[in-house]
Each structure stands twice: as C-alpha cells, then as structure tokens.
Amino acid sequence: MTRPRTSAAAQPSRRRLLAVAAASLVAVLGASSCSASGDGAKEAAAGKGSATRTVTDIAGEVEVPAEPKRIVSVDFYSPATLVDLGVKPVGVVEGFDSDDPDLRPKRYHDALKGTPTIGMYYELNIEAVAQQNPDLIFAETRFLRKGELKRLQGIAPVVQLDAAGVGAWKERTLMIGAAIGKSAEIEKQAAVFEKRAEELKKKYADVLAENRIAVFAYGQDKTTWGTYPAGHFYVPVWDAVGAKFRPFTEGEHKGQEGAVSEWLSLEQIGKLDNADILLYAYGAKDFVDETLADNTVWKNLPAVKNGMVFRNIPASVVSSFAWGTESLEALDGVLAQIDAKARS
C-alpha cells in the first residue's frame, strides 16, 4: 500500500528522510518478528498474508513488506546493493548481462546473469515488471515516463530513489538497505567505505588540495567531448576523497546540479585549460591516443604539457558501498601515479 506523497516543496531533507526511515525500521522490528509470505504484490499491497512496515523514500512514506521476497529493480543502481546484502532481485533492467569491466565489477555480472529483464531504465516494459509478480519495486523516478510510476504502484509498493548531487548515492544506498530490513548490514558497509575514503583523503591531501581535476569522456562518433562535475554519478569516489573539480566555462553548464556538461566539439577542447589534471574515461584510451593525438589545442593544454593526463578507474558508476570500497582501491593506484608525477 502506498501512502499519499507530499509535494516537492513540502518534502523533508534527505538526511531527515533517512533518519525517519531508520527510526521507523527500529520501531517496527522491535515490535514484531512477523515475516512476509511473499505471495505477490497485490496481496502485500492490500496488507493480506504479510506484515508490512513504513519506510521513507525521496517522496515521503511508503508501506513495504516486512521481508520482501520478490524485488524488481527498474533502476540502474539498486541491484548491486541488493547483491551485497545477499538478496537477488527477480527483475532488472537490461545491461546486467554485460561483463564490460567499465560497467560494473564482475561479481555483479555473475550474480545477476540470467535474471529476467524488464526493459531499459529509461524505457520500461511495465508488463514484464508485472510478470515477475514483485512485492517491492525500486525505481529512480526521474527516468520514468509519464504515467509509469502510477502503473508500477498498481503492481507493488514502489520505493523511489534519486542519484543526483554529491553524496546522493550514499543516501540512496542506505535507503535501499532500510527498505529491505537490512539497515545494520548496510551501515557496516558504509563505515568500511568511509574509513577507506578518509585514509585516501589524508594520504593524498596535498595533491588533492593543490590541483583541479577534469574527468572527461567522448560523445557520439568521438566528435564531441564532455566533463563530469562533482555530484555526477560517474565521479562518486572522487567526491569521497575531496577532489576539486574544474568549474564549467561559459556554454558548458546545463543548469542542472550534477549534470554532465554540454557535449562540445573537439575544436572547443581548449576549455580544459582550467584543469591541472585530466582524467579520461576508462574506455576512452583510443580517443586520447588516436583521436586527440594530432589535435594542436589538446597538445597545448597545461595538463597535457605537464604529463598530467591519466586513465580514470573502471566501473566508476558506484552503486553500493562495497562497490565503492573496491573503487577506492583502484583510485589509490591512480592517485599514486598522479602524486608521483606531481612530485617529479
């Protein structure tokens, strides 16, 4: 059963939402040890045959099964967190069958290979969702098309997630853990991640404080390029260690927090002259070594002339704390290269 949601203007802050979610979880678990029967979304939504509890997502309060058995993820992020918590979703968006190392760590590919798919995260197949008979659905609602949220809520309770802004992925991950009754486990994973991030922040304090970075990638047909700002889902571990990002120049910003820049022509790559360190996407090595090799403007960028161009970590779209901790280990290697070059 989904309760009426508050308007965006009346919504509490994300931190308050998480606090309320945690408090609700403790109260309910302390009062009841009942478990859900997992007999299907309609029965769970009606409160028949299963215990429910109230959790808080980005839109307000929602009643979910006390122990959901059949979870469908119509977003890109929640499956990794679920796997880390020992839960396998019964439906995921397309792409999890790919073993491309730049998409996600291999263990998630292995865990989710063969899981039924329900369309793309930006183009769902609602009928395929219903066929999985879920008792809980996770969705990043900014990607849902008109009317899809209501249709999903007619199938099962929907926990609405968000991924925009610095640290939003952490709050989202905690919310997922709370929604399935595993707050204690996800908080332990969060503590491990935060401890490692602080270690790297201290280890590379000088190079991080003295340099501005630009994380960039190429666009369609390698004829355009763009950069990722703080808060974008492509750079969470850089945010976690306190990296300073170059500011967007005129004509780059889309006016949305954490959004990738406008995709610009190669003739405009000189805009990267305000970055001390250039980090190209893990899969963009050919773009740098071949496409940009004879670009005079590129070769005259300060970072290029100073040898401060490095490959970013693989699977940088961190979707869980365990994934993030693994990404921090990869980042340690990149930062070691940067630090060594800066000291030479």
Side-chain angles (χ1 to χ4, degrees):
M1 170 181 169
T2 303
R3 296 188 176 185
R5 306 304 183 91
T6 56
S7 67
Q11 289 175 21
S13 67
R14 280 180 174 151
R15 292 185 182 278
R16 178 170 174 76
L17 290 176
L18 290 174
V20 172
S24 299
L25 176 62
V26 171
V28 173
L29 292 183
S32 173
S33 60
C34 298
S35 63
S37 67
D39 289 333
K42 292 182 180 178
E43 187 173 79
K48 300 176 181 178
S50 70
T52 63
R53 53 194 170 79
T54 301
V55 297
T56 306
D57 63 9
I58 64 168
E61 293 183 338
V62 57
E63 284 190 19
V64 301
E67 294 183 8
K69 303 296 184 183
R70 296 187 61 79
I71 300 172
V72 168
S73 297
V74 302
D75 67 305
F76 179 88
Y77 306 100
S78 60
T81 299
L82 294 173
V83 169
D84 289 340
L85 292 171
V87 177
K88 183 177 179 179
V90 298
V92 296
V93 295
E94 293 178 19
F96 280 90
D97 57 344
S98 172
D99 59 359
D100 182 347
D102 197 24
L103 289 179
R104 63 189 60 82
K106 185 175 183 296
R107 68 176 178 278
Y108 300 113
H109 161 72
D110 293 342
L112 297 168
K113 188 176 183 179
T115 303
T117 57
I118 43 79
M120 301 296 290
Y121 67 91
Y122 54 85
E123 191 174 357
L124 295 179
N125 181 336
I126 303 295
E127 289 72 24
V129 174
Q131 286 173 6
Q132 297 310 314
N133 196 27
D135 55 6
L136 182 62
I137 298 170
F138 286 108
E140 187 180 356
T141 46
R142 65 174 172 158
F143 289 116
L144 296 181
R145 294 171 295 181
K146 185 177 180 179
E148 286 186 333
L149 176 59
K150 186 174 182 179
R151 293 178 67 191
L152 290 172
Q153 290 171 330
I155 298 170
V158 177
V159 173
Q160 300 181 46
L161 308 171
D162 189 15
V166 177
W169 73 273
K170 299 179 187 179
E171 297 173 357
R172 178 192 68 227
T173 304
L174 290 169
M175 193 179 293
I176 294 168
I180 64 170
K182 292 182 177 287
S183 284
E185 293 94 324
I186 202 64
E187 287 167 6
K188 287 179 182 178
Q189 294 178 15
V192 172
F193 173 85
E194 297 294 353
K195 181 175 183 290
R196 185 61 177 137
E198 284 301 315
E199 290 172 353
L200 295 187
K201 190 181 293 186
K202 293 177 181 178
K203 182 178 180 180
Y204 299 106
D206 290 343
V207 74
L208 288 169
E210 295 169 3
N211 296 279
R212 287 180 172 177
I213 70 169
V215 181
F216 71 99
Y218 61 82
Q220 190 173 13
D221 299 327
K222 299 183 180 179
T223 59
T224 58
W225 62 277
T227 61
Y228 302 102
H232 192 274
F233 57 74
Y234 200 76
V235 295
V237 291
W238 288 103
D239 285 332
V241 299
K244 295 193 304 185
F245 289 76
R246 67 178 277 274
F248 283 151
T249 62
E250 184 177 356
E252 286 187 74
H253 201 287
K254 291 182 177 179
Q256 301 171 348
E257 180 189 8
V260 66
S261 71
E262 296 287 355
W263 293 97
L264 305 173
S265 68
L266 297 185
E267 287 74 19
Q268 296 175 285
I269 206 159
K271 288 178 175 289
L272 291 175
D273 64 0
N274 62 353
D276 304 297
I277 300 168
L278 296 176
L279 296 143
Y280 58 89
Y282 187 82
K285 192 173 188 303
D286 289 347
F287 176 66
V288 173
D289 292 347
E290 299 173 10
T291 305
L292 296 178
D294 297 323
N295 187 306
T296 302
V297 178
W298 164 260
K299 290 190 290 186
N300 283 304
L301 289 173
V304 177
K305 294 173 73 173
N306 293 331
M308 298 295 278
V309 181
F310 303 89
R311 191 183 195 184
N312 194 27
I313 64 170
S316 61
V317 185
V318 170
S319 299
S320 70
F321 289 115
W323 180 338
T325 300
E326 182 175 320
S327 291
L328 286 173
E329 296 309 317
L331 186 65
D332 189 7
V334 175
L335 283 169
Q337 296 176 46
I338 293 172
D339 190 53
K341 185 63 179 178
R343 294 175 184 275
S344 64

